[in-house]
């Protein structure tokens, strides 16, 4: 079965600083990869998804970007963080039948 | 993109009671997934459904893929305190990898 590795688990960053969150997948090849953001006590907002290397679909205009430099690597980035970027970020990977999540990164922008 | 309507938003029940929650969509889905999320962790896949009308169980959990392919429900029988968490439905459209989630059902079980 596939495993999603996501790090770091928690991150505190100042406003205006850059961001890089990494997600890697084990146990499968050519997965669909997703980045979600979850506000406290709320649902999952799809930010980006990717069906292959270099292929990124963005769901909402925002201060974030994503890249997929390798088949099983998905990176979420920002050049300058905003206070509103705080939240719980989740990476997921799967195929057309199921998807599994990483443990999440709690980002606090101060 | 497609929107999933999940209800109820929250439930407060007594230990031993049964629970039912559902998701509906205006669009057809090829796959329905149900997840449980505990505080500070990523969602964990509970049940996956692939065919209209399919009924699948996982222990005390039972989920069904609606005949119209636009809805799904999850039942939990004889709830216990460790069932506490947020339950999410998710849908995968046919020939599309745009996985969407419902807003979640927050379950509280009183001993």
């Amino acid at each position: 079965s596939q495993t999603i590795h996501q790090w770091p688990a928690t991150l505190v960053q100042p406003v205006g600083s850059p961001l890089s969150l990494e997600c890697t997948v084990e146990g499968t090849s050519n997965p669909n990869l997703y980045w979600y953001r979850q506000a406290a006590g709320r649902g999952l907002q799809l930010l980006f998804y990717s069906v292959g290397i270099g292929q990124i679909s963005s769901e909402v205009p925002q201060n974030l970007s994503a890249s997929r430099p390798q088949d099983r690597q998905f990176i979420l980035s920002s050049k300058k963080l905003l206070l509103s970027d705080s939240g719980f970020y989740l990476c997921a990977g799967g195929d057309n039948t199921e998807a599994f999540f990483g443990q999440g990164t709690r980002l606090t922008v101060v | 993109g497609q929107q999933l309507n999940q209800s109820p938003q929250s439930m407060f029940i007594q230990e031993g009671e049964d629970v039912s929650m559902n998701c509906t969509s205006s669009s057809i889905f090829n796959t329905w997934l149900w997840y449980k999320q505990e505080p500070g962790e990523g969602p964990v896949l509970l049940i996956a459904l692939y065919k209209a009308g399919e009924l699948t169980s996982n222990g005390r959990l039972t989920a069904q893929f609606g005949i119209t392919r636009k809805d799904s429900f999850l039942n939990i029988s004889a709830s216990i305190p460790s069932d506490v968490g947020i339950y999410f439905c998710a849908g995968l459209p046919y020939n599309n990898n745009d996985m969407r989630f419902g807003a979640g059902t927050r379950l509280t079980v009183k001993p």
Side-chain angles (χ1 to χ4, degrees):
Chain A
S1 65
Q2 56 187 296
T3 305
I4 312 298
H5 298 282
Q6 191 180 340
W7 66 92
T10 59
L11 190 60
V12 180
Q13 292 283 104
V15 169
S17 65
L19 173 74
S20 180
L21 301 181
E22 187 163 347
C23 173
T24 58
V25 181
E26 279 184 20
T28 188
S29 58
N30 196 31
N32 300 327
L33 296 173
Y34 307 86
W35 278 110
Y36 292 88
R37 178 168 57 202
Q38 185 177 32
R42 303 290 295 276
L44 296 151
Q45 179 189 27
L46 179 62
L47 301 176
F48 301 96
Y49 70 95
S50 171
V51 300
I53 296 173
Q55 300 179 61
I56 309 293
S57 295
S58 174
E59 285 300 300
V60 293
Q62 56 203 325
N63 187 40
L64 302 167
S65 62
S67 61
R68 186 169 177 174
Q70 300 180 49
D71 180 47
R72 287 176 284 181
Q73 183 185 28
F74 204 25
I75 298 172
L76 183 69
S77 304
S78 173
K79 292 182 180 177
K80 288 186 178 182
L81 283 168
L82 306 172
L83 287 174
S84 57
D85 291 325
S86 294
F88 191 49
Y89 289 83
L90 287 156
C91 176
D95 53 26
N96 292 335
T97 62
E98 60 189 6
F100 298 93
F101 280 84
Q103 286 299 297
T105 295
R106 181 158 306 282
L107 172 66
T108 304
V109 182
V110 296
Chain B
Q2 300 88 350
Q3 297 297 318
L4 298 186
N5 300 306
Q6 185 173 349
S7 63
Q9 190 174 25
S10 62
M11 301 183 74
F12 296 83
I13 62 169
Q14 204 72 35
E15 182 177 1
E17 291 182 357
D18 297 343
V19 172
S20 184
M21 59 192 79
N22 69 84
C23 263
T24 60
S25 171
S26 58
S27 303
I28 289 174
F29 284 96
N30 205 45
T31 299
W32 282 96
L33 307 170
W34 284 94
Y35 291 84
K36 179 188 177 186
Q37 185 181 29
E38 300 192 13
E41 299 185 7
V44 173
L45 182 63
L46 300 173
I47 292 179
L49 303 159
Y50 304 116
K51 291 164 59 174
E54 179 182 355
L55 187 70
T56 298
S57 293
N58 178 6
R60 293 178 295 105
L61 278 61
T62 301
Q64 185 159 28
F65 193 138
I67 291 291
T68 65
R69 301 178 69 186
K70 294 182 178 181
D71 63 325
S72 176
F73 72 75
L74 175 70
N75 285 346
I76 305 173
S77 63
S79 58
I80 59 178
S82 62
D83 289 334
V84 166
I86 304 177
Y87 291 80
F88 290 100
C89 62
L92 276 165
Y94 176 73
N95 206 27
N96 188 320
N97 304 295
D98 184 2
M99 184 169 65
R100 298 287 174 163
F101 281 78
T105 296
R106 184 181 294 275
L107 178 64
T108 303
V109 180
K110 293 178 285 187

